[in-house]
Amino acid sequence: MRVALITNILPAYRVPVFRALAATPGWQLRVFLSTGSEQPANHGLDVEVVKGLKYERRIESRGRGGTTQIVTTHLPWGLPSALLRFRPDVVISAELGWRTLLTLGLCRLLGAALVIWTYHSQTSATSAGWVLRLVRRGLLASAAAVIGMGRQARKVLEDLGVAPGRIFDAPNAHDHDTFLAARARVEPEAVRRALADGLGCRDRIALVAGRLVSVKGIAPLLAAWEQLPDKIRDDWTLLFVGSGPLASMIEEASAAEADGAIVNVPQVEHAELVDYYAASRLLIFASLADTWGLVVNEAFACGLPVLCSRHAGCADDLIRPGENGWIFDPTEPGEFVSALREVLCEPDLERLARGARSTAERFRPEAMAAGFRRAVEHARPNARGDAR
């Protein structure tokens, strides 16, 4: 069975998932990319980069924590000829918009079954206007199967009219084994001493990893942190690792505090990020609209409990309050302050760290690949070679 998987890019963390799919007995998997950026040099996959155009557009999520983001839309005009050459039996399209509309037409021409892979969380889905919602409903109705990334994605898909039996869960995954191997080489106390000597970091570190943009909840986090009593945060450092337009906001907050209270390390290579996970005691993920939040997977793999926004797509799947972390609403200032107070005063972070590691083991790339396989096997009878 020939399976085509259409997506924008091939970041390193996706490689283990796609390799697991390519190893499926009876499958010939080809990955079609809209751009070659972030493509690993030695991915060991059958990959074809198709020609196309791309443009950036602004989207806004609605609600109390509404944010504005710039996203890139790809228009792969080389996709029709690429699929006609490959002649797939099943096509997985990683988008819920215009590119998948093009793919649907090609699937009908080729007699292939269409599987849609969508990333939406309940908050991110609010950015769609009525025209796009109509397009999405039509696409989903035409798909033989739909892949979602967890419970929030399932809720969005059901609200768009997809029957539960056509939805297959494939929760997001990072490169678990590579990450654990890198973590095993790190000596946490040595990193903590280096951060204390170089940046003035305190005994305990609350890590914030990612782009410094509004959707990550940077402003409400700084406001809530400032409201905490000094005696609660005296031995904590709020450590931001990342860069972006809100870096100046963090610099201003840092200048208003004592040395080591708030620290920002500009963007580091992803391979180096494991050092900061290892040196920290917990991760704060204050997202206002993320479709998932792979930093939570990575933090769990390193044994970090996570204070996670309920607006992150991963919250309902990964977080077990009291076992591996906490869930809160960053758009509610009082709730944010209370959550931070509880987290920083937690007497047994090590117990939650064990829960975090246990959870990470259940969200490996193999588990994500299994969700894809179930969707493709469900769709297969609709392909030309099996429709009898």
Side-chain angles (χ1 to χ4, degrees):
M1 178 172 62
R2 290 186 295 276
V3 179
L5 197 160
I6 303 168
T7 187
N8 289 338
I9 60 176
L10 181 55
Y13 62 82
R14 282 280 177 258
V15 171
V17 178
F18 293 171
R19 280 178 177 163
L21 290 177
T24 304
W27 281 31
Q28 180 186 350
L29 177 72
R30 181 170 296 174
V31 180
F32 295 89
L33 304 180
S34 296
T35 174
S37 64
E38 298 186 51
Q39 181 179 338
N42 298 307
H43 45 66
L45 293 166
D46 181 1
V47 173
E48 181 175 344
V49 180
V50 299
K51 296 180 180 180
L53 302 173
K54 63 180 181 179
Y55 67 93
E56 293 184 342
R57 59 190 179 91
R58 186 183 303 272
I59 64 171
E60 297 182 1
S61 60
R62 300 177 179 87
R64 183 167 182 174
T67 60
T68 299
Q69 299 184 68
I70 303 298
V71 300
T72 301
T73 297
H74 293 265
L75 303 172
W77 54 265
L79 185 61
S81 60
L83 286 183
L84 286 169
R85 289 194 305 273
F86 184 55
R87 299 194 64 80
D89 300 294
V90 179
V91 179
I92 305 169
S93 183
E95 187 221 30
L96 196 52
W98 308 115
R99 184 178 63 208
T100 299
L101 185 61
L102 169 64
T103 303
L104 172 61
L106 293 169
C107 285
R108 288 178 171 172
L109 177 65
L110 294 167
L114 173 64
V115 175
I116 294 176
W117 173 25
T118 176
Y119 297 77
H120 290 287
S121 67
Q122 287 179 263
T123 302
S124 68
T126 65
S127 64
W130 68 270
V131 173
L132 185 53
R133 286 183 65 84
L134 284 176
V135 171
R136 288 175 174 175
R137 281 183 174 274
L139 286 172
L140 292 167
S142 301
V146 183
I147 300 169
M149 292 206 303
R151 296 180 185 179
Q152 289 197 25
R154 175 173 284 272
K155 178 64 167 59
V156 171
L157 292 169
E158 290 178 352
D159 288 347
L160 288 170
V162 184
R166 293 174 52 234
I167 303 172
F168 297 85
D169 296 324
N172 213 357
H174 71 301
D175 189 348
H176 189 81
D177 291 339
T178 298
F179 215 80
L180 285 186
R183 170 64 182 84
R185 294 191 292 268
V186 177
E187 173 49 55
E189 288 304 322
V191 178
R192 289 190 190 107
R193 288 195 298 271
L195 290 174
D197 294 341
L199 299 172
C201 289
R202 299 172 179 177
D203 290 343
R204 297 195 285 180
I205 294 173
L207 178 66
V208 182
R211 296 173 297 129
L212 304 182
V213 292
S214 60
V215 74
K216 299 300 182 181
I218 303 300
L221 170 55
L222 290 172
W225 190 268
E226 183 182 359
Q227 294 182 49
L228 290 171
D230 290 341
K231 64 180 181 180
I232 290 180
R233 56 188 176 110
D234 268 352
D235 61 344
W236 284 92
T237 290
L238 182 60
L239 175 61
F240 293 86
V241 177
S243 58
L246 297 187
S248 59
M249 180 184 293
I250 296 170
E251 291 174 6
E252 292 174 6
S254 177
E257 298 282 348
D259 289 347
I262 300 175
V263 174
N264 180 213
V265 176
Q267 187 67 48
V268 301
E269 293 295 324
H270 191 262
E272 301 173 32
L273 189 56
V274 69
D275 291 357
Y276 296 92
Y277 285 124
S280 302
R281 301 300 173 91
L282 64 93
L283 178 82
I284 300 175
F285 190 55
S287 172
L288 302 178
D290 268 79
T291 55
W292 185 262
L294 272 180
V295 292
V296 179
N297 297 63
E298 294 173 349
F300 275 4
C302 292
L304 289 189
V306 177
L307 175 60
C308 183
S309 164
R310 69 176 67 257
H311 301 295
C314 67
D316 296 347
D317 293 88
L318 290 180
I319 305 298
R320 296 291 178 267
E323 297 180 15
N324 58 20
W326 308 260
I327 296 177
F328 75 106
D329 189 343
T331 69
E332 296 286 349
E335 182 178 335
F336 203 161
V337 174
S338 296
L340 284 172
R341 183 191 296 266
E342 178 182 355
V343 169
L344 300 188
C345 294
E346 167 59 47
D348 193 3
L349 285 174
E350 183 53 40
R351 177 181 61 82
L352 278 81
R354 291 192 296 271
R357 294 188 191 96
S358 176
T359 301
E361 289 295 324
R362 301 198 301 272
F363 288 83
R364 287 172 170 265
E366 292 81 1
M368 186 176 185
F372 276 71
R373 290 193 197 98
R374 289 191 295 269
V376 170
E377 289 303 319
H378 179 85
R380 185 175 181 176
N382 294 291
R384 59 177 178 272
D386 296 289
R388 287 188 280 271

